[in-house]
Amino acid sequence: MLKFALIGLGVMGKNHYRALQNVAGVQIAALCDPFCKENFAHKIYTDLDEMLESENLDAAVIATPTSLHKEAALKCMQKGLNLLIEKPVCANAADAQILLEEAKRRDIKVAVGHVERFNPAIVALKKELENEEIYSVQITRNAPFPQRITDVGILADLAVHDIDLIRFLSGKEIKSADIKSSRKIHAKFEDNAVLSFELEGEITALIATSWLAHRRKRMVEVACKGAVYEADLLNQSLVKFSEFDASACKMQNIFVKRTDPLTSELEDFVRLLSGEQSSGASIEDSLKTLKIIESAS
């Protein structure tokens, strides 16, 4: 039984707490949050150093605000803990590089919480694309402004999901990027953006993301040589369009096995710890995403 700690009990921390209780082979040994006033069924520490000294742990999930990831991760690595760190791995590429080097030096296994890789619609789409020649990828991700997000803008909070998905789905690296963004209602950071990319193999990609919307929307459209796929990440559905002519096409609903993405991500992390192949994002993946954002800013 792997003993896990959960660091950070905000919105994502509570989601991880719920999901961890469904993961076989995992025991929640301790929680840590200096500001939490709620009651949980497990012991809560207000000081990370005290928890790390007091508990015999195998791994930790870091779900603190992004700006605190680096400090928490380094302290956990010094104790030899394997880590699942919420995305992005750090607030900037320089800090991510420090974590990467420390993880390699100490032989620490680290996954980064790009949970959309485990959205059932993406899992089904990834399988469909195995034998397809991809032409282009378009992703739309909109949501009403989240008041709780104060330490990063929409690029680091939402666009990182989709930059990662473009690389994950296509299996290609991004060669060039152009990012346009603006701040309309956020106090400090950008709250809407359009990102365009050129990938290896002359694949083009476009991301439109906004906190100015009246409702949530998460759509991925992939145009291939013989088909177009539309994945709805909120409804967890996938539709394939093919056999095009001037006025019609064939529409096929692709089977999507419904699962909880966060539970699937945590299960994948457990497999990583046991030496099995992982579908999750690595520090290197998150670092590439951060470099893309920073290079275009």
Side-chain angles (χ1 to χ4, degrees):
M1 186 71 71
L2 295 171
K3 292 185 177 181
F4 272 53
L6 173 57
I7 303 167
L9 292 169
V11 172
M12 278 308 301
K14 291 184 180 69
N15 289 338
H16 276 285
Y17 182 71
R18 167 190 55 79
L20 274 170
Q21 296 177 72
N22 300 321
V23 179
V26 168
Q27 174 190 344
I28 300 176
L31 310 174
C32 183
D33 191 310
F35 306 109
C36 183
K37 304 299 182 183
E38 301 173 53
N39 294 319
F40 290 84
H42 298 83
K43 184 174 182 179
I44 301 179
Y45 289 85
T46 58
D47 183 79
L48 178 57
D49 293 321
E50 181 186 357
M51 184 190 76
L52 294 175
E53 288 295 331
S54 303
E55 299 288 341
N56 182 22
L57 300 166
D58 298 298
V61 175
I62 297 177
T64 64
T66 302
S67 58
L68 303 178
H69 284 185
K70 176 189 172 185
E71 180 183 4
L74 288 175
K75 287 183 177 182
C76 290
M77 287 182 184
Q78 289 168 6
K79 293 296 184 178
L81 301 190
N82 299 300
L83 297 172
L84 172 62
I85 306 173
E86 261 306 315
K87 61 78 199 165
V89 65
C90 284
N92 56 68
D95 286 349
Q97 185 66 43
I98 291 171
L99 289 194
L100 176 60
E101 293 171 1
E102 187 71 0
K104 287 182 175 179
R105 187 173 75 85
R106 295 181 179 272
D107 194 26
I108 301 292
K109 294 180 178 178
V110 181
V112 181
H114 284 283
V115 70
E116 292 288 32
R117 291 189 178 207
F118 300 93
N119 187 297
I122 293 296
V123 173
L125 177 57
K126 176 72 171 173
K127 186 174 181 180
E128 288 289 318
L129 294 175
E130 287 177 358
N131 299 312
E132 296 280 9
E133 181 182 349
I134 298 174
Y135 287 167
S136 68
V137 182
Q138 294 190 50
I139 302 179
T140 302
R141 184 181 296 267
N142 296 334
F145 177 61
Q147 298 291 336
R148 65 184 178 85
I149 304 295
T150 59
D151 61 334
V152 293
I154 200 168
L155 292 175
D157 186 60
L158 293 189
V160 291
H161 277 302
D162 300 317
I163 296 172
D164 182 71
L165 281 182
I166 287 169
R167 294 180 56 251
F168 178 65
L169 289 171
S170 67
K172 304 291 185 181
E173 294 297 338
I174 293 171
K175 293 172 58 180
S176 64
D178 181 66
I179 300 177
K180 307 295 184 185
S181 65
S182 67
R183 176 173 62 87
K184 299 300 183 184
I185 57 177
H186 198 292
K188 297 180 181 179
F189 302 103
E190 77 288 341
D191 48 37
N192 68 104
V194 176
L195 307 86
S196 60
F197 306 95
E198 180 187 0
L199 285 70
E200 297 169 332
E202 296 186 340
I203 298 172
T204 60
L206 181 70
I207 298 170
T209 186
S210 175
W211 276 332
L212 309 178
H214 67 289
R215 63 185 177 90
R216 297 167 71 212
K217 183 178 182 180
R218 298 182 193 170
M219 298 292 299
V220 178
E221 181 178 302
V222 182
C224 302
K225 184 176 182 179
V228 174
Y229 294 89
E230 288 186 359
D232 187 325
L233 305 193
L234 293 177
N235 294 331
Q236 297 187 356
S237 62
L238 178 62
V239 180
K240 177 182 179 180
F241 300 90
S242 60
E243 300 179 16
F244 304 100
D245 61 30
S247 59
C249 65
K250 177 183 177 182
M251 186 179 79
Q252 177 185 0
N253 290 310
I254 305 297
F255 173 73
V256 175
K257 183 179 180 180
R258 299 293 184 92
T259 59
D260 173 52
L262 192 57
T263 301
S264 297
E265 179 182 68
L266 289 163
E267 290 171 342
D268 184 85
F269 179 54
V270 171
R271 290 193 292 271
L272 174 68
L273 299 188
S274 66
E276 298 179 40
Q277 186 173 0
S278 168
S279 298
S282 63
I283 297 180
E284 290 92 338
D285 290 319
S286 192
L287 177 57
K288 287 178 180 179
T289 297
L290 287 168
K291 284 182 175 178
I292 289 168
I293 291 174
E294 291 177 10
S295 67
S297 63

